[in-house]
């Protein structure tokens, strides 16, 4: 079946919303199951699980993107959503299998890659940025409410109901793709046979990274992205576990923290970002975002009270302006036929950080013995969580060592970013990308040489 109506951005938006709403419901139950399954070295195991998933996503995203260019988007939307959501029912069946399947699911956990290609098929060049923004905003919106709903239902009815509900929403998403989502890639764009060869240059995850050193400005931008996103990726993988187990936050408090941070980040990346870009310029906006990130990570590192986490979270929302500002700088300074190449480099580096960051944070937590000896007590009737014991070094000067390491990394990124010129022309050779463009370029993309493949966004980025 071809789906309902003609392909539109709204089809992609619904697919993203349902997938991440299902996972958002499991935020609180996952933190509990993780600590029950790995009572010792909880942060180390969490880092390894998320690190393996991130590295597999980085390696597989270009290949899946290339295959979807040949075989169409709908089948790969179905494949990525199915395997991304496959671990959900295993949470109550077998926690060990649950975490094992999460790690392996990284091979297919690249729904954003296929969704962005879907959007590129059906939008004109001048519409694409707004469409990508709508998809990203939908992702943020799905996580604003779902953790709070999951925490409430888990407290009132038990975690089993939350897992069943999340599984049902994931199945609804799969059914929606089967029944309602039409294929976006025109039939004439696809080869006649399924055995048609794909471009292995396009499927190489390191292809974009090999071009990093060909322009000094590109090198500076990529180093800045690597040093600033490495701690960010690690933070996303472990911070909510840190709040729950070390800072003594209840499930409801963690859900409220996610909601407030999401709303503030949306405001920062829309209203505040546009005001800053107009008033202080592109480069200064990047520097300001990095400054906020240093302050936020240092606050997380030294903070020992819950109110400090809330205050640092507000600063974290302001630090989210860095990557949109970097992308805007690249798009304004790169030539028309270089856009895809340079954006692909930045996306590749972020994908690499998604694997390295969580593992690095877990290892640093392990080195500094930031662990709990006992499980949290059941929540009290008033709704608060009674934690039996904080981590072993409660009197330590640095409660969160990985966050302080992250602050030092971002400080280096800030020093590198100072040398990025405000206006320049980026020049990166893209001959290999042009080869692929001749056979699979989109007809409505006149700038095709640099956009043989759309920049890919890994699911674990966010």
């Amino acid at each position: 079946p071809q789906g309902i109506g003609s392909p539109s951005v709204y089809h992609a938006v619904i697919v993203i919303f349902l997938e991440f709403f299902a996972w958002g419901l499991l935020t609180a139950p996952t933190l509990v199951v993780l600590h029950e399954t790995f009572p010792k070295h909880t942060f180390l195991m969490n880092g390894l699980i998320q690190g393996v998933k991130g590295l597999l996503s980085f390696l597989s995203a270009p290949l899946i993107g290339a295959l979807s260019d040949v075989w169409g988007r709908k089948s790969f939307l179905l494949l990525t959503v199915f395997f991304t959501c496959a671990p959900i029912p295993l949470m109550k069946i077998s926690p060990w299998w649950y975490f094992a399947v999460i790690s392996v699911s990284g091979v297919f956990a690249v729904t954003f890659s296929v969704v962005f290609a879907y959007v590129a098929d059906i939008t004109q060049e001048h519409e694409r940025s707004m469409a990508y923004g709508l998809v990203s905003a939908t992702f943020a919106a799905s996580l604003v409410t779902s953790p709070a709903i999951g925490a409430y239902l888990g407290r009132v009815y038990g975690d089993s109901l939350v897992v069943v509900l999340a599984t049902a929403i994931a199945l609804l998403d799969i059914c929606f793709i089967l029944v309602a989502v039409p294929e976006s890639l025109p039939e004439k764009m696809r080869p006649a046979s399924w055995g048609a060869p794909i471009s292995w240059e396009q499927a190489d995850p390191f292809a974009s990274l090999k071009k990093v050193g060909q322009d000094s400005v590109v090198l500076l931008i990529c180093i800045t992205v690597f040093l600033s996103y490495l701690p960010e990726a690690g933070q996303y993988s472990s911070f909510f576990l840190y709040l729950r187990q070390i800072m003594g936050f209840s499930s409801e408090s963690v859900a409220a923290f996610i909601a407030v941070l999401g709303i503030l980040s949306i405001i920062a990346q829309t209203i505040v970002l546009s005001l800053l870009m107009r008033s202080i310029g592109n480069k200064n906006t990047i520097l300001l975002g990095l400054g906020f990130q240093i302050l936020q990570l240092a606050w997380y590192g030294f903070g020992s009270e819950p109110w400090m986490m809330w205050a640092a979270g507000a600063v974290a929302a302001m630090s989210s302006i860095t990557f949109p500002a970097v992308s805007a700088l690249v798009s304004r300074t790169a030539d028309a036929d270089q856009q895809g190449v340079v954006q692909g480099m930045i996306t590749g580096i972020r994908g690499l950080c998604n694997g390295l960051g969580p593992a690095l944070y877990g290892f640093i937590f392990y080195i500094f013995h930031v662990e709990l000896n006992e499980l949290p007590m059941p929540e009290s009737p008033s709704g608060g969580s009674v934690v039996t014991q904080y981590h072993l070094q409660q009197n330590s000067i640095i409660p969160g060592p990985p966050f302080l390491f992250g602050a030092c990394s971002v400080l280096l990124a800030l020093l590198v970013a100072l040398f990025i010129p405000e206006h320049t022309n980026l020049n990166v050779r893209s001959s290999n990308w042009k080869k692929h463009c001749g056979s699979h370029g989109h007809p409505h993309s006149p700038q095709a040489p640099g956009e043989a493949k759309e920049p890919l966004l890994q699911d674990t980025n966010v």
Side-chain angles (χ1 to χ4, degrees), residues 259-271:
V260 172
L261 193 61
I263 293 170
L264 291 178
S265 296
I266 292 172
I267 296 173
Q269 293 182 54
T270 52
I271 301 172

Side-chain angles (χ1 to χ4, degrees), residues 214-376:
Q214 295 178 10
D215 184 285
S216 59
V217 179
V218 172
L219 182 61
L220 290 174
I221 292 174
C222 289
I223 292 174
T224 301
V225 171
F226 180 81
L227 291 174
S228 62
Y229 193 71
L230 184 68
E232 190 173 339
Q235 172 187 320
Y236 285 148
S237 70
S238 61
F239 186 62
F240 300 129
L241 178 65
Y242 181 79
L243 289 180
R244 183 82 171 88
Q245 306 293 353
I246 303 302
M247 300 307 299
F249 275 44
S250 66
S251 299
E252 290 79 6
S253 297
V254 172
F257 189 94
I258 296 173
V260 172
L261 193 61
I263 293 170
L264 291 178
S265 296
I266 292 172
I267 296 173
Q269 293 182 54
T270 52
I271 301 172
V272 177
L273 179 62
S274 61
L275 291 175
L276 289 174
M277 294 282 276
R278 286 200 299 267
S279 58
I280 65 176
N282 208 318
K283 178 182 174 180
N284 289 331
T285 302
I286 295 173
L287 296 176
L288 184 63
L290 292 173
F292 277 118
Q293 190 177 358
I294 294 170
L295 177 60
Q296 163 228 330
L297 287 168
W299 211 333
Y300 283 158
F302 288 110
S304 57
E305 299 294 334
W307 71 266
M308 296 181 181
M309 299 296 104
W310 284 97
V315 179
M318 281 300 301
S319 71
S320 67
I321 64 176
T322 303
F323 184 70
V326 169
S327 298
L329 177 66
V330 169
S331 66
R332 289 172 59 182
T333 55
D335 293 334
D337 65 344
Q338 302 286 304
Q339 293 281 343
V341 180
V342 183
Q343 294 282 7
M345 290 180 197
I346 293 174
T347 305
I349 287 172
R350 283 166 63 90
L352 192 60
C353 290
N354 283 326
L356 298 177
L360 181 64
Y361 264 51
F363 184 64
I364 295 175
F365 274 124
Y366 173 71
I367 290 176
F368 283 87
H369 307 292
V370 181
E371 299 291 346
L372 285 174
N373 278 344
E374 302 175 27
L375 284 170

Side-chain angles (χ1 to χ4, degrees), residues 1-8 11 74 176 179-182:
Q2 289 301 309
I4 299 175
S6 57
S8 70
H11 288 101
K74 181 171 180 173
F176 177 78
V179 176
V181 175

Side-chain angles (χ1 to χ4, degrees), residues 41-49 358-359 362-366 371:
H41 314 315
T42 308
F43 289 96
L44 177 63
M45 295 306 300
N46 177 64
L48 292 176
I49 291 166
F363 184 64
I364 295 175
F365 274 124
Y366 173 71
E371 299 291 346

Side-chain angles (χ1 to χ4, degrees), residues 17 20-21 134-147 262 266:
F17 181 85
F20 289 99
F21 190 88
L134 181 61
V135 172
S136 299
T138 301
F139 165 80
S142 70
L143 294 182
V144 166
T145 56
S146 54
I266 292 172

Side-chain angles (χ1 to χ4, degrees), residues 24-49:
L25 290 172
L26 297 178
T27 301
T30 297
L31 299 182
V32 175
V33 172
L34 181 67
H35 193 64
E36 289 176 347
T37 309
F38 307 107
K40 294 185 178 180
H41 314 315
T42 308
F43 289 96
L44 177 63
M45 295 306 300
N46 177 64
L48 292 176
I49 291 166

